[in-house]
Amino acid sequence: MVPHLVTALTGPLLDLEKKILAATPAIERWFRMEWQEHTPPFYCSVDLRNAGYKLAPVDTNLFPGGFHNLATEMLPLSVQAAMAAIDKYCPDARNLLIVPELHNTTPQYLQNVARLMQIFRQTGLHVRFGSWSPEITQPTPLALPDGNMLVIEPLVRLNNGRRLGLKDFDPCTILLNNDLSDGIPDILQNIHEQSLLPPLHAGWALRRKSNHYTAYDEVVKKFGKMIDVDPWMLNPFHAKCSDINFQEGEGEDALAASVDVLLAKIRKKYKEYGIKEKPFVIVKPDAGTYGTGIMTVRDASEVRDLSRKQRDRMSIVKDGKVVTDVIIQEGVPTFESIKEAVAEPVVYMIDRYVVGGFYRVHAEKGVDQNLNAPGSQYVPLAFAQQHAVPDLKAKPGTAAPNRFYVYGVVARLALLAASLEMERTDPNPEVY
């Protein structure tokens, strides 16, 4: 299925698409060589924004929660990629323990967990679910929208505390689908002999977006040189600002100054490429997810003139975490829409393989706003079957497979950046 997609089909993006398609053999070889040097995250999703003049990743999630939104045709590809991923860590694996979010028992999230179970069961693994929540003291069934049940059991330490598992269940591999926003619990620390995926430092207790985008700067610079494109076409400018207290108004002058500098850099690029849009930036927490604590800024004065409601919204994110560090990111408007609703592509990967994606669609948001908000809907991306292979003879901008291939390339650049980020921030590099 190809959703009815309205996109800016003129301008630099077509040139970018043309260059990426022409360089396909070189690009795929380059990725193969990079993956010999670096280990991809176990799984990952990347939010992209297509502005017509640039295509850039704006968020990279190492604990993706929307597998149920992928087209069912993508399941075989997901299973193959999952097999390759598990083989790296435990080739003789029999048991997989999945640790999902504690607070999130919405039908949508539970469908995601059920889809993960379906994928990994088809790789030949016994799959069970565990939680460290004090509310889970015995096997607890949770109802799924289709009438089936998921059972979550209390986590326990096994083998004199060296391993993590469930009663009568000793897994080779533990898969976290919990982003650790509220910190790392003791029960996950000092695990021996087992693979904990992703590693603890991938969680928001330790991870920072600014580290990711610093690594992405490097990756996209090398890539841009290889295919002869301006890296800016694939990369949002960014800056970090620390020691902010939104409630008390502390650090706002420094934040406003950083916003000014970044807007000036964007204006310069807009002038270079003849782009008539008014530039904007997105201010968001350096740690955290779920689309909270985000604001769109077009002028530095807006940072100094926040209302009490805006201060409240910016100061606290998921799990009550107070925001002190923010990342200022170049705003990339989306010019994609489905049935007049603003849309952005989200690409999913397991190991180094693209396994599908979807359009996040929001009828009540503008082209310059965050779409990861209540009211968003999801339309599966047609990565399956013939759409996985680019049509090299098609004119730029006319073939969905080509656009999806380009999405996949840019998402894999973010995946590679996440790999570098994980290596550089690992507190125990010798174990990596």
Side-chain angles (χ1 to χ4, degrees):
M1 178 188 74
V2 181
H4 178 62
L5 178 64
V6 182
T7 309
L9 292 177
T10 57
L13 193 63
L14 292 189
D15 188 46
L16 180 65
E17 185 179 300
K18 197 190 302 182
K19 284 188 171 175
I20 287 177
L21 290 169
T24 296
I27 289 169
E28 295 306 326
R29 180 180 182 276
W30 182 76
F31 274 122
R32 280 199 305 276
M33 302 299 284
E34 291 292 333
W35 294 131
Q36 287 179 24
E37 300 292 325
H38 308 288
T39 303
F42 188 82
Y43 56 5
C44 177
S45 68
V46 178
D47 295 5
L48 300 173
R49 300 280 283 209
N50 175 1
Y53 53 83
K54 75 185 289 176
L55 175 67
V58 293
D59 200 23
T60 302
N61 185 358
L62 298 181
F63 300 86
F67 277 93
H68 61 296
N69 292 320
L70 306 187
T72 51
E73 299 96 316
M74 302 309 295
L75 265 175
L77 194 55
S78 297
V79 172
Q80 284 181 322
M83 282 179 176
I86 289 287
D87 270 354
K88 284 184 180 174
Y89 298 95
C90 191
D92 60 346
R94 290 183 183 177
N95 297 333
L96 175 72
L97 173 61
I98 298 180
V99 181
E101 293 277 2
L102 309 179
H103 66 283
N104 195 345
T105 54
T106 62
Q108 292 81 7
Y109 180 70
L110 292 178
Q111 283 176 294
N112 161 69
V113 175
R115 175 61 65 89
L116 284 172
M117 179 172 68
Q118 184 183 9
I119 290 167
F120 286 102
R121 275 189 172 170
Q122 288 184 39
T123 69
L125 293 170
H126 298 287
V127 181
R128 282 163 71 176
F129 300 97
S131 171
W132 67 81
S133 170
E135 296 167 11
I136 305 291
T137 56
Q138 59 186 12
T140 304
L142 297 173
L144 291 167
D146 62 4
N148 288 319
M149 289 283 183
L150 279 180
V151 177
I152 299 192
E153 303 173 63
L155 291 172
V156 293
R157 292 304 282 254
L158 310 168
N159 192 14
N160 296 324
R162 289 177 62 79
R163 295 173 70 90
L164 180 68
L166 308 172
K167 186 183 176 185
D168 305 322
F169 189 75
D170 187 354
C172 163
T173 306
I174 300 142
L175 181 64
L176 289 178
N177 198 241
N178 181 316
D179 64 19
L180 306 176
S181 290
D182 55 351
I184 301 170
D186 290 341
I187 199 164
L188 294 185
Q189 311 242 27
N190 302 311
I191 292 171
H192 303 273
E193 306 159 359
Q194 291 167 300
S195 297
L196 184 64
L197 304 167
L200 293 178
H201 67 286
W204 288 121
L206 298 173
R207 188 180 178 220
R208 296 295 177 266
K209 293 173 188 172
S210 50
N211 290 332
H212 175 73
Y213 278 97
T214 298
Y216 186 76
D217 285 345
E218 291 177 41
V219 168
V220 82
K221 201 171 177 182
K222 281 170 69 176
F223 182 80
K225 193 173 180 182
M226 179 180 70
I227 68 165
D228 188 31
V229 299
D230 181 348
W232 177 76
M233 293 285 185
L234 300 162
N235 191 12
F237 287 139
H238 67 94
K240 180 181 177 179
C241 204
S242 302
D243 304 319
I244 290 172
N245 184 326
F246 282 104
Q247 294 286 15
E248 303 298 328
E250 293 169 8
E252 285 184 359
D253 286 340
L255 177 58
S258 294
V259 166
D260 248 346
V261 169
L262 207 61
L263 284 170
K265 278 179 77 175
I266 302 166
R267 279 189 209 100
K268 193 175 175 187
K269 278 292 180 187
Y270 278 18
K271 191 174 179 184
E272 181 183 339
Y273 287 102
I275 296 162
K276 305 297 184 193
E277 311 291 327
K278 184 174 182 183
F280 65 98
V281 297
I282 302 292
V283 178
K284 55 187 176 182
D286 200 19
T289 183
Y290 277 76
T292 52
I294 295 175
M295 65 177 171
T296 302
V297 178
R298 294 186 178 279
D299 190 277
S301 63
E302 295 170 35
V303 174
R304 296 189 185 92
D305 301 332
L306 295 177
S307 67
R308 173 51 55 191
K309 188 178 177 183
Q310 286 172 311
R311 290 182 190 282
D312 290 345
R313 198 174 69 238
M314 290 299 296
S315 60
I316 304 278
V317 289
K318 184 184 171 192
D319 294 326
K321 195 178 177 79
V322 177
V323 176
T324 56
D325 299 337
V326 297
I327 185 170
I328 308 151
Q329 191 177 63
E330 175 188 346
V332 183
T334 177
F335 281 94
E336 297 193 309
S337 61
I338 295 173
K339 294 181 181 173
E340 298 181 9
V342 176
E344 65 184 9
V346 184
V347 178
Y348 273 60
M349 290 157 287
I350 297 176
D351 197 63
R352 59 194 177 102
Y353 305 102
V354 173
V355 297
F358 51 80
Y359 283 107
R360 183 183 286 121
V361 184
H362 207 304
E364 294 167 22
K365 295 288 183 179
V367 297
D368 59 351
Q369 290 179 294
N370 169 48
L371 304 189
N372 188 10
S376 56
Q377 296 178 307
Y378 305 93
V379 178
L381 267 172
F383 275 104
Q385 297 145 5
Q386 73 273 21
H387 300 296
V389 181
D391 178 359
L392 300 179
K393 294 178 183 174
K395 287 182 180 177
T398 61
N402 293 355
R403 181 57 49 84
F404 297 150
Y405 175 73
V406 173
Y407 288 164
V409 168
V410 179
R412 284 183 288 161
L413 293 175
L415 182 75
L416 180 56
S419 173
L420 297 179
E421 171 200 359
M422 289 296 98
E423 289 171 20
R424 291 168 185 176
T425 58
D426 190 348
N428 302 300
E430 69 282 359
V431 182
Y432 192 79

